[in-house]
Amino acid sequence: MSAGTALPDSRWLLRKPAADATARVFCFPYSGVGGSMFNAWPRRFGPDDGIEVCSVQLPGREGRLREPHYGTYEDLAERLADALAPHLDRPFVFFGHCAGSLPAFETARLLAERGLPLPERVFVSAQVAPHHCPHDRFLDLTDAELRAELEELTLLRGGLAHPQLLDLALAVLKEDLDANRVYRRDAPTPVPFPIGVLHWDGDPEVTQDELKGWQDYADDVTFPVLPGGHYAFLNAPGELLDTLGAELAARP
């Protein structure tokens, strides 16, 4: 489908975007989970609650469990660019944490290539630059270790670690890791939108130095440091929302 004929596709977002939102934050889930990982985030934040949180839902999980996996990040970006295009009619940013940062970046890059509206900034959290990929400790874990990680994450999100649900989640995670494993750019790819590279000061998985590879991807690259560990973003800490909202609050 061409950019000029893109139609809304409700499957790609957990909720239909509100017509009265002044701006939008599109949140990309990371490996093994779906858009519900942002359920603890407020639906709105910012001045007069005008900034809306829009959780991206990927195929092959949660409400889209029966659909085939998206394949590669590049294939996913092709589909997301079409699906999100009708909702880019007001200022917006992309946010991705860990591996979720990579399809966020690829989708924004494709929007630029197609001449579509661009994000005010793409926020990549705890994720090394594409030319340093793949970089994810999950890639070297056994199935048993991955399952233990999923159980811990489920409990962190306030859920119940049911064995059958963990089995389903493990299957999704392994397919997502396959996509992560084959993704890499040979060199920095300059893009025409700003990038915000978020580091969590208590994150043992990615160091601040490892994030510096993003500095050659755009003319405007910032490196905010936020308090918390690798999963601190799940509860939408105020420092994170302030950082995201600052890009949108002053936009007309």
Side-chain angles (χ1 to χ4, degrees), residues 154-173:
T154 300
L155 296 175
L156 277 174
R157 296 172 61 196
L160 297 175
H162 190 282
Q164 288 183 316
L165 293 179
L166 287 176
D167 288 342
L168 290 173
L170 178 60
V172 173
L173 175 57

Side-chain angles (χ1 to χ4, degrees), residues 105-106 129-133 183-190 213 216-217:
F105 170 77
E106 286 295 329
H131 66 288
H132 290 157
C133 289
Y183 175 77
R184 189 177 188 275
R185 289 191 169 273
D186 292 333
T189 305
D216 296 321
Y217 278 72

Side-chain angles (χ1 to χ4, degrees), residues 4-221:
T5 58
L7 296 173
D9 186 338
S10 60
R11 296 174 302 165
W12 290 93
L13 295 172
L14 281 189
R15 292 184 298 270
K16 180 180 179 180
D20 65 340
T22 59
R24 294 184 174 126
V25 178
F26 293 95
C27 298
F28 291 68
Y30 61 75
S31 298
V33 295
S36 69
M37 73 178 300
F38 296 103
N39 279 354
W41 287 44
R43 292 195 176 191
R44 300 271 186 116
F45 69 97
D48 302 319
D49 292 329
I51 301 175
E52 179 182 27
V53 174
C54 297
S55 300
V56 173
Q57 184 63 291
L58 304 182
R61 69 214 63 215
E62 297 182 347
R64 303 183 66 181
L65 188 61
R66 295 182 181 274
E67 299 180 40
H69 192 265
Y70 55 77
T72 66
Y73 292 152
E74 292 87 350
D75 292 338
L76 177 58
E78 289 279 348
R79 299 172 68 186
L80 276 170
D82 280 335
L84 298 183
H87 307 301
L88 308 182
D89 56 348
R90 60 209 68 194
F92 67 96
V93 298
F94 283 172
F95 170 82
H97 179 78
C98 200
S101 302
L102 301 174
F105 170 77
E106 286 295 329
T107 301
R109 188 193 63 77
L110 195 56
L111 292 176
E113 187 177 294
R114 295 182 178 181
L116 292 170
L118 297 180
E120 303 295 336
R121 190 175 296 272
V122 172
F123 288 94
V124 294
S125 169
Q127 173 58 52
V128 303
H131 66 288
H132 290 157
C133 289
H135 182 283
D136 192 322
R137 69 181 180 86
F138 280 19
L139 295 174
D140 298 320
L141 298 185
T142 65
D143 284 5
E145 291 169 330
L146 289 173
R147 186 184 176 88
E149 293 281 349
L150 286 171
E151 183 172 3
E152 179 184 358
L153 180 57
T154 300
L155 296 175
L156 277 174
R157 296 172 61 196
L160 297 175
H162 190 282
Q164 288 183 316
L165 293 179
L166 287 176
D167 288 342
L168 290 173
L170 178 60
V172 173
L173 175 57
K174 291 174 68 175
E175 286 190 297
D176 287 356
L177 290 176
D178 285 341
N180 186 282
R181 193 172 280 110
V182 300
Y183 175 77
R184 189 177 188 275
R185 289 191 169 273
D186 292 333
T189 305
V191 291
F193 48 81
I195 298 174
V197 185
L198 305 181
H199 174 64
W200 300 88
D201 63 8
D203 185 358
E205 299 194 17
V206 184
T207 68
Q208 196 169 7
D209 282 344
E210 288 173 323
L211 299 175
K212 291 180 179 179
W214 285 101
Q215 62 191 357
D216 296 321
Y217 278 72
D219 292 334
D220 181 357
V221 182

